[in-house]
């Protein structure tokens, strides 16, 4: 039988630190990995207390790695070959799975978990290295090898692993409860969404649409952004809120300079109701201190005043360039910069206040029955389930 990579080994991330939550974390991670892999029907999964295995059968190893490397709670993963704990079999497997026709450097690092194995680690290293040197043009490089070949001798079997792939880190999505993220079409809110999920929080998104002032294209762009980040938790529910009437009422009842602040307060009121309805424990936004007039600390106070649930702003202290870098890394940047108008861009006043006062907001808001309009927005929300179906050119 010829050897080939037959499974993926998954090493847990930060969750290993969490004593008594450990089992529930591992279970959540296991569920998340399985869910992320539903596109690969032949896979088999096995979880242990310190690692997880995916048995590939006839699935494509690289494609599975690509999907699994997005699942939070994993520190690293490796393609691996399972062999009987026998030095001849180990040698044979190395020769068969490594691309020995290319010119590469390597290092062998054997570890004996099973101390009853008759050959000690140093000897295993030497034996395997000699075999590779004899059968290829490969050279040893102990400091910076192209291939670090890790051989792990365990009781049941031995595992040969080549390059370690860095995992997504963080906590398994779901262990941290649920939050509502306000998702605009911009650069910041998809990054904020990513960071929430990274800490184990499951998200649902809210998008405020103001047709006909905002187009279908603008909404499609937001759904595309949701699709791009949905892989991190399996799927995302996006609640599209028809915001036009409320927005027009704001402009009829408040001076232009206060319109943005009051609009944000309305967004928070709607988000609060949606959060209650959907059992979410927090609201998250892509706001960052000082980025625009409505993102000063004074503004944040005035906006926060309408709700009691925590508002989390994951990118609050990041520079725009840092947020942009992260958006490129997670693959949302190119979509975020598509030039479709947002409900904020359309009604942008010339001179928004940078230090809005709560009492003034309350005075303007008292001029009309905004509460029934907020309720209407919540009742008319259209909830769309987004899944991460990969496009052909995104598959590695
Ligand atoms: P972003 O890149 O996220 O759009 P921005 O710099 O454009 O950020 P603003 O437009 O001021 O910032 O919005 C700040 C935050 O308010 C957004 O990050 C988002 O969380 C929320 N938000 C703004 N507009 C909408 C919208 N139409 N629907 C949902 N949330 C929104
Ligand atoms: Mg925006």
């Amino acid at each position: 039988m010829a050897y080939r990579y037959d499974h993926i080994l998954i090493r847990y991330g930060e969750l290993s630190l969490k004593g008594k939550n450990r089992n529930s974390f591992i279970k959540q991670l296991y569920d998340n990995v399985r869910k992320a892999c539903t596109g690969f029907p032949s896979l088999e999964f096995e979880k242990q207390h310190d690692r997880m295995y995916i048995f590939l059968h006839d699935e494509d190893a690289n494609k599975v790695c690509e999907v699994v490397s997005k699942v939070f709670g994993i520190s690293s993963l490796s393609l691996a070959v399972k062999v009987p704990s026998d030095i001849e079999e180990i040698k044979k497997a190395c020769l068969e799975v490594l691309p020995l026709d290319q010119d590469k450097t390597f290092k062998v690092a054997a570890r004996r978990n099973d101390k009853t194995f008759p050959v000690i680690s140093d000897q295993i290293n030497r034996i395997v290295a000699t075999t590779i040197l004899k059968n290829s043009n490969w050279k040893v490089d102990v400091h910076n090898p192209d291939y670090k070949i890790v051989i792990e001798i365990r009781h049941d079997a031995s595992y040969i692993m080549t390059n370690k792939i860095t995992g997504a880190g963080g906590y398994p999505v779901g262990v941290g409860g649920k939050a509502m993220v306000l998702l605009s079409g911009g650069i910041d809110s998809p990054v904020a969404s990513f960071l929430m999920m990274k800490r184990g929080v499951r998200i649902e998104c809210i998008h405020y649409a103001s047709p006909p002032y905002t187009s279908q294209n603008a909404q499609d762009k937001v759904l595309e952004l949701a699709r791009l980040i949905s892989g991190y938790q399996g799927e995302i529910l996006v609640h599209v809120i028809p915001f036009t009437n409320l927005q027009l009422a704001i402009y009829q009842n408040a001076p232009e300079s206060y319109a943005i602040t009051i609009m944000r307060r309305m967004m928070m009121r709607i988000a609060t109701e949606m959060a209650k309805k959907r059992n979410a424990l927090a609201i998250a936004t892509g706001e960052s201190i000082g980025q625009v007039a409505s993102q000063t600390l004074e503004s944040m106070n005035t906006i926060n005043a309408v709700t009691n649930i925590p508002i989390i702003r994951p990118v609050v202290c990041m520079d725009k360039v840092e947020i942009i870098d992260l958006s490129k890394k997670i693959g949302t940047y190119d979509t975020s910069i598509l030039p479709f108008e947002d409900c904020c861009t359309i009604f942008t006043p010339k001179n928004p206040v940078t230090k809005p006062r709560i009492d003034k907001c309350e005075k303007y808001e008292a001029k009309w029955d905004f509460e029934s309009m907020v309720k209407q927005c919540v009742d008319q929300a259209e909830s769309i389930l987004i899944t991460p179906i990969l496009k052909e050119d995104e598959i590695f």
Side-chain angles (χ1 to χ4, degrees):
M1 184 194 82
Y3 286 109
R4 61 186 182 88
Y5 291 117
D6 52 13
H7 68 282
I8 296 171
L9 179 148
I10 293 174
R11 298 176 196 84
Y12 302 150
E14 214 175 312
L15 68 89
S16 54
L17 303 174
K18 291 267 175 176
K20 67 174 191 273
N21 293 330
R22 198 185 160 86
N23 283 343
S24 59
F25 279 31
I26 293 173
K27 185 173 180 314
Q28 184 74 62
L29 180 62
Y30 184 69
D31 290 346
N32 292 356
V33 168
R34 293 188 65 137
K35 206 165 178 189
C37 291
T38 42
F40 307 102
S42 328
L43 298 180
E44 252 186 288
F45 306 83
E46 185 189 323
K47 61 174 189 292
Q48 295 182 356
H49 71 286
D50 60 343
R51 50 179 51 184
M52 200 177 287
Y53 298 101
I54 300 179
F55 299 95
L56 288 162
H57 299 295
D58 39 352
E59 302 290 355
D60 182 306
N62 291 319
K63 283 185 192 168
V64 178
C65 277
E66 177 61 24
V67 169
V68 175
S69 64
K70 274 190 163 187
V71 178
F72 292 120
I74 293 174
S75 73
S76 67
L77 47 143
S78 298
L79 283 172
V81 195
K82 186 176 182 178
V83 299
S85 290
D86 176 292
I87 195 72
E88 289 309 315
E89 292 299 319
I90 291 170
K91 277 161 61 179
K92 181 167 180 282
C94 285
L95 293 181
E96 286 175 2
V97 299
L98 294 167
L100 296 179
D101 49 336
Q102 302 166 17
D103 285 346
K104 297 286 179 191
T105 58
F106 75 104
K107 167 188 177 171
V108 186
R111 239 193 338 257
R112 258 188 337 156
N113 255 359
D114 172 14
K115 298 291 179 205
T116 63
F117 190 72
V119 190
I120 62 163
S121 309
D122 272 353
Q123 262 171 328
I124 303 172
N125 290 345
R126 220 163 300 143
I127 293 169
V128 173
T130 309
T131 308
I132 292 172
L133 290 169
K134 270 193 199 151
N135 288 281
S136 69
N137 290 324
W138 284 31
K139 295 193 172 57
V140 173
D141 180 348
V142 290
H143 299 297
N144 192 19
D146 298 326
Y147 281 85
K148 182 176 173 194
I149 302 159
V150 175
I151 301 171
E152 213 175 76
I153 313 289
R154 291 198 158 217
H155 222 66
D156 53 336
S158 293
Y159 297 87
I160 301 169
M161 288 153 280
T162 50
N163 294 343
K164 216 178 199 179
I165 301 158
T166 308
Y171 290 126
V173 175
V175 299
K178 185 160 78 178
M180 283 286 167
V181 181
L182 305 193
L183 187 65
S184 62
I187 295 168
D188 308 328
S189 45
V191 172
S193 305
F194 168 83
L195 291 171
M196 291 299 286
M197 291 187 279
K198 184 167 185 191
R199 293 313 287 172
V201 177
R202 184 169 293 286
I203 63 165
E204 291 184 11
C205 294
I206 294 179
H207 178 66
Y208 302 95
S210 300
Y213 302 98
T214 56
S215 63
Q216 185 62 37
N217 282 343
Q219 184 175 319
D220 291 346
K221 171 183 166 182
V222 171
L223 297 182
E224 172 64 6
L225 287 169
R227 187 188 72 76
L228 289 169
I229 55 172
S230 63
Y232 291 104
Q233 65 173 27
E235 57 195 20
I236 289 185
L237 198 56
V238 180
H239 308 283
V240 179
I241 309 273
F243 201 49
T244 318
N245 291 343
L246 185 46
Q247 209 165 9
L248 292 173
I250 294 169
Y251 282 83
Q252 274 156 21
N253 291 295
E256 222 187 74
S257 62
Y258 264 75
I260 288 278
T261 311
I262 294 179
M263 184 184 79
R264 295 252 175 253
R265 283 162 61 93
M266 296 302 169
M267 286 181 171
M268 285 307 162
R269 289 180 170 115
I270 295 167
T272 303
E273 290 313 309
M274 288 300 295
K276 281 185 197 154
K277 201 168 152 181
R278 300 286 313 157
N279 292 320
L281 296 171
I283 296 169
T285 77
E287 291 163 292
S288 164
I289 298 173
Q291 204 183 78
V292 290
S294 63
Q295 298 178 17
T296 60
L297 290 182
E298 289 86 352
S299 279
M300 288 183 192
N301 268 281
T302 306
I303 293 163
N304 281 28
V306 302
T307 184
N308 288 323
I309 34 179
I311 300 176
I312 300 177
R313 299 176 168 92
V315 302
V316 75
C317 290
M318 285 168 74
D319 290 348
K320 192 74 188 186
V321 287
E322 294 172 314
I323 303 173
I324 287 174
D325 280 352
L326 197 44
S327 78
K328 287 180 178 164
K329 214 176 109 190
I330 64 174
T332 51
Y333 181 75
D334 291 339
T335 303
S336 286
I337 58 172
L338 293 175
F340 298 123
E341 68 298 330
D342 185 65
C343 68
C344 307
T345 41
I346 285 195
F347 293 95
T348 307
K350 281 168 217 73
N351 296 306
V353 278
T354 52
K355 297 181 181 181
R357 283 171 38 189
I358 294 177
D359 59 340
K360 283 199 172 176
C361 289
E362 286 170 346
K363 191 181 84 186
Y364 302 132
E365 288 167 358
K367 290 208 229 160
W368 90 103
D369 176 19
F370 69 83
E371 270 162 21
S372 65
M373 293 184 102
V374 165
K375 185 173 178 306
Q376 226 175 40
C377 285
V378 173
D379 291 343
Q380 290 173 356
E382 186 195 352
S383 304
I384 305 169
L385 187 67
I386 305 290
T387 51
I389 308 150
L390 292 177
K391 285 183 188 159
E392 270 306 312
D393 61 357
E394 286 174 338
I395 296 174
F396 285 63

